[in-house]
């Protein structure tokens, strides 16, 4: 049945949680592409057959013509499914760039293994575009994602951070489970990566 | 007396000036009471309202133009009126489904004022002014910075969402700033390249266009 593989591909994407990526389903993807090839071959053979019989569109709408039409429409539908799959994954990749950070290696490994090489390239290109815009405007757009309540917040270090980071002319030692009283803008990148957590209340 | 009480409750009143049967006017309650106090006729009330609004507009223009000077005396006044404009632009941008015209002059002024306040804060810290006052200034600065950043961020996200449409429509493209146009073009190129490499080059020949279904 034409179009079933495309439908399964789209359903596979939709069955994941909204905003979360699943590993790229290359098997289904390739099968859909193969179906497109088949459809195209059949179109070409039917057109050739019609030409050999000396009849041409649009004068003679015989069975071959309609067969070719069906293959054409199914090809278009498969193309749409494939492009929707790729487009939605690209949307999620862009969203990740904004939320987690613009460095490819800054992404946690569980997410990195779900992306294909092409998607990683797209991530890199997009980060470069965003960084160049931020450079031109002169303002960093990555910090301050949440409206600020207090200028200073209490944080506790959860993950591993390299020792001896210089902050505000003082070298602070970020040992695990140590609590610090930092400026909001300084602590935000660490909180976004999950290496620090904010203590409220 | 009872009549007066109900009059205060409404904000506008409909009048029939000079007992003419056809013409009805709506005017704000306060204006009506003012006119009644001074026994103004309908036409005098109208001209008075127009002059008053004109004077108000001139005053706000004056305040806005003063903010361009950025001198220390007008700093407190200027940051309120500019921040109000930025807040309004931010709210509009967040609520509108399409991208709105870019407020270039406002963004430039806001950037300048943020830098000014940052320098002031550094001076205050050095001079040892009460840390509570410093943290209040810092808080205000943070909030203004957040507004500016969020405004630009919301616009970028809209561009990312609608990149092909914006590049196709002349009108939408005219609402972007120069750097945003460059960004939009790069984004569209990146996405088109991504599509081509993942899908389109593997499809048969007439079906390889990004924007058309098939030729």
């Amino acid at each position: 049945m034409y179009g079933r593989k495309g439908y399964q591909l789209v359903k596979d994407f939709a069955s994941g949680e909204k905003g979360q990526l699943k590993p790229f389903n290359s098997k289904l993807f390739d099968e859909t592409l193969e179906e497109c090839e088949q459809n195209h071959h059949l179109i070409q053979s039917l057109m050739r057959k019609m030409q050999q019989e000396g009849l041409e569109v649009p004068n003679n709408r015989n069975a071959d013509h309609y067969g070719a039409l069906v293959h054409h429409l199914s090809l278009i539908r498969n193309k749409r499914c494939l492009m929707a799959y790729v487009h939605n994954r690209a949307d999620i990749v862009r969203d990740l760039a904004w939320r987690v950070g613009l460095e490819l290696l800054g992404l946690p490994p569980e997410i990195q293994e779900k992306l294909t090489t092409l998607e990683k390239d797209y991530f890199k290109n997009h980060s470069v575009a965003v960084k160049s815009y931020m450079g031109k405007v002169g303002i960093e757009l990555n910090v301050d994602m949440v409206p600020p309540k207090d200028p200073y917040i209490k944080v506790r270090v959860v993950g591993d951070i390299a020792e001896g980071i210089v902050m505000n002319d003082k070298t602070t030692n970020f040992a695990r489970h140590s609590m610090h009283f930092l400026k909001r803008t300084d602590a935000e990148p660490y909180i976004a990566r999950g290496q620090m957590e904010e203590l409220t209340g | 007396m009872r009549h007066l009480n109900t009059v205060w409750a409404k904000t506008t009143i409909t009048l029939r000036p000079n007992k003419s049967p056809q013409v009805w006017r709506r005017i704000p309650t306060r204006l009506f009471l003012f006119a009644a106090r001074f026994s103004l006729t309908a036409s005098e009330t109208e001209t008075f309202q127009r002059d008053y609004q004109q004077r108000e507009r001139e005053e706000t223009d004056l305040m806005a133009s003063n903010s361009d000077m950025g001198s220390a005396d007008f700093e407190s006044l200027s940051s309120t009126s500019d921040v109000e404009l930025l807040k309004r632009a931010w709210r509009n941008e967040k609520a509108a489904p399409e991208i709105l015209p870019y407020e270039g002059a406002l963004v430039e002024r806001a950037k300048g004022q943020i830098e000014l306040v940052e320098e002031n804060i550094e001076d205050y810290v050095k001079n040892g002014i009460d840390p509570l006052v410093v943290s209040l200034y810092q808080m205000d600065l943070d909030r203004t910075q957040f507004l500016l950043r969020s405004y630009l961020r919301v616009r970028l996200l809209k561009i990312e969402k609608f990149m092909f449409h914006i590049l196709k429509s002349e009108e939408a493209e005219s609402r972007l700033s120069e750097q945003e146009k460059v960004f939009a073009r790069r984004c569209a190129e990146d996405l088109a390249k991504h599509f081509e490499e993942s899908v389109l080059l593997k499809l048969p020949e007439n079906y390889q266009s990004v924007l058309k279904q098939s030729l």
Side-chain angles (χ1 to χ4, degrees):
Chain A
M1 178 55 114
Y2 291 142
R4 176 167 288 159
K5 303 260 169 56
Y7 164 72
Q8 280 176 346
L9 191 63
V10 173
K11 220 168 125 184
D12 176 53
F13 180 82
S15 65
E17 279 176 26
K18 190 154 191 253
Q20 298 283 357
L21 274 180
K22 294 173 95 169
F24 189 80
N25 199 335
S26 21
K27 182 164 148 279
L28 257 183
F29 199 80
D30 290 333
E31 282 174 8
T32 322
L33 280 172
E34 254 183 58
E35 204 183 293
C36 289
E37 276 296 319
Q38 275 179 0
N39 277 325
H40 187 65
H41 280 314
L42 288 167
I43 292 184
Q44 283 183 326
S45 70
L46 282 172
M47 287 307 220
R48 245 175 279 137
K49 193 165 152 233
M50 280 184 71
Q51 271 184 345
Q52 279 169 1
E53 292 175 7
L55 312 168
E56 201 39 270
V57 205
N59 298 322
N60 307 81
R61 302 275 170 108
N62 63 356
D64 287 337
H65 167 80
Y66 286 116
L69 187 66
V70 167
H71 290 302
H72 168 73
L73 289 175
S74 126
L75 218 175
I76 288 188
R77 185 178 164 77
N78 281 334
K79 175 178 176 183
R80 197 171 161 180
C81 293
L82 290 167
M83 284 191 73
Y85 188 66
V86 171
H87 182 66
N88 280 303
R89 284 183 72 95
D91 275 348
I92 296 187
V93 163
R94 280 202 304 261
D95 183 50
L96 273 178
W98 277 109
R99 266 189 302 136
V100 180
L102 293 174
E103 292 302 316
L104 182 58
L105 304 172
L107 291 176
E110 313 93 52
I111 297 189
Q112 280 200 41
E113 62 188 19
K114 293 187 195 162
L115 301 175
T116 65
T117 0
L118 284 172
E119 284 174 348
K120 290 185 187 156
D121 282 339
Y122 178 64
F123 185 92
K124 260 185 247 163
N125 289 337
H126 188 256
S127 321
V128 168
V130 174
K131 274 186 202 160
S132 96
Y133 176 78
M134 295 206 295
K136 278 192 212 146
V137 182
I139 310 179
E140 259 195 48
L141 296 177
N142 247 348
V143 294
D144 265 351
M145 298 295 245
V146 177
K149 263 190 179 178
D150 298 308
Y152 287 88
I153 51 174
K154 257 190 162 169
V155 288
R156 183 195 288 143
V157 179
V158 171
D160 293 316
I161 311 182
E163 295 213 340
I165 303 193
V166 183
M167 212 181 267
N168 303 336
D169 311 323
K170 295 174 252 171
T171 27
T172 35
N173 191 0
F174 290 126
R176 251 205 198 192
H177 302 300
S178 62
M179 304 215 281
H180 299 273
F181 197 56
L182 294 175
K183 258 191 172 178
R184 171 173 288 275
T185 33
D186 292 335
E188 256 195 310
Y190 294 112
I191 297 183
R193 284 202 291 263
Q195 289 166 325
M196 281 195 196
E197 59 175 13
E198 195 178 331
L199 297 172
T200 45
Chain B
M1 274 298 127
R2 236 186 314 151
H3 172 69
L4 254 186
N5 285 341
T6 53
V7 156
W8 275 117
K10 301 189 204 149
T11 42
T12 61
I13 295 183
T14 330
L15 285 187
R16 212 168 36 125
N18 303 328
K19 298 231 167 65
S20 67
Q22 261 69 42
V23 182
W24 288 87
R25 298 271 160 71
R26 291 217 120 230
I27 57 171
T29 311
R30 289 205 170 159
L31 190 57
F32 166 67
L33 293 171
F34 175 91
R37 170 98 173 69
F38 293 101
S39 314
L40 298 176
T41 63
S43 46
E44 280 171 336
T45 323
E46 265 187 329
T47 44
F48 173 73
Q49 188 181 27
R50 237 179 299 134
D51 283 347
Y52 184 61
Q53 280 173 348
Q54 171 85 355
R55 239 178 297 145
E56 261 193 325
R57 245 175 280 135
E58 283 174 39
E59 267 182 347
T60 45
D61 279 347
L62 190 64
M63 280 194 42
S65 66
N66 277 342
S67 72
D68 285 345
M69 297 183 354
S71 65
D73 292 321
F74 287 98
E75 195 185 280
S76 46
L77 266 181
S78 63
S79 45
T80 37
S81 68
D82 252 358
V83 166
E84 285 303 313
L85 287 175
L86 187 59
K87 231 193 260 181
R88 189 196 289 174
W90 175 71
R91 243 182 283 145
N92 285 342
E93 200 68 61
K94 266 216 153 178
E98 259 206 348
I99 198 163
L100 300 174
Y102 181 64
E103 305 268 355
L106 177 63
V107 169
E108 291 303 313
R109 288 203 309 262
K111 267 201 281 186
Q113 281 172 12
I114 285 179
E115 279 173 20
L116 212 69
V117 175
E118 268 180 351
E119 283 174 16
N120 281 347
I121 288 187
E122 280 177 22
D123 287 340
Y124 291 157
V125 170
K126 254 184 259 161
N127 294 343
I129 300 212
D130 185 14
L132 179 64
V133 173
V134 174
S135 75
L136 286 176
Y137 274 110
Q138 176 75 35
M139 197 52 218
D140 190 52
L141 176 70
D142 274 347
R143 290 161 93 122
T144 322
Q145 270 186 327
F146 169 76
L147 273 185
L148 184 62
R149 284 189 180 130
S150 191
Y151 175 69
L152 292 171
R153 237 197 328 256
V154 167
R155 289 181 67 92
L156 277 193
L157 290 174
K158 276 191 203 171
I159 293 179
E160 281 177 10
K161 215 170 156 196
F162 302 125
M163 47 178 109
F164 289 118
H165 170 258
I166 289 183
L167 292 174
K168 258 198 202 171
S169 143
E170 282 281 336
E171 210 240 318
E173 201 174 345
S174 63
R175 290 185 228 142
L176 306 179
S177 75
E178 283 310 313
Q179 301 106 334
E180 284 176 345
K181 282 187 198 157
V182 169
F183 176 74
R185 265 174 231 138
R186 267 184 97 160
C187 255
E189 273 171 24
D190 282 340
L191 191 58
K193 192 162 143 260
H194 182 65
F195 271 138
E196 278 168 15
E197 286 175 359
S198 329
V199 175
L200 296 176
L201 292 175
K202 301 181 190 162
L203 284 180
E205 271 180 348
N206 285 344
Y207 300 86
Q208 284 184 353
S209 148
V210 175
L211 296 175
K212 291 204 180 137
Q213 281 201 62
S214 78
L215 292 171

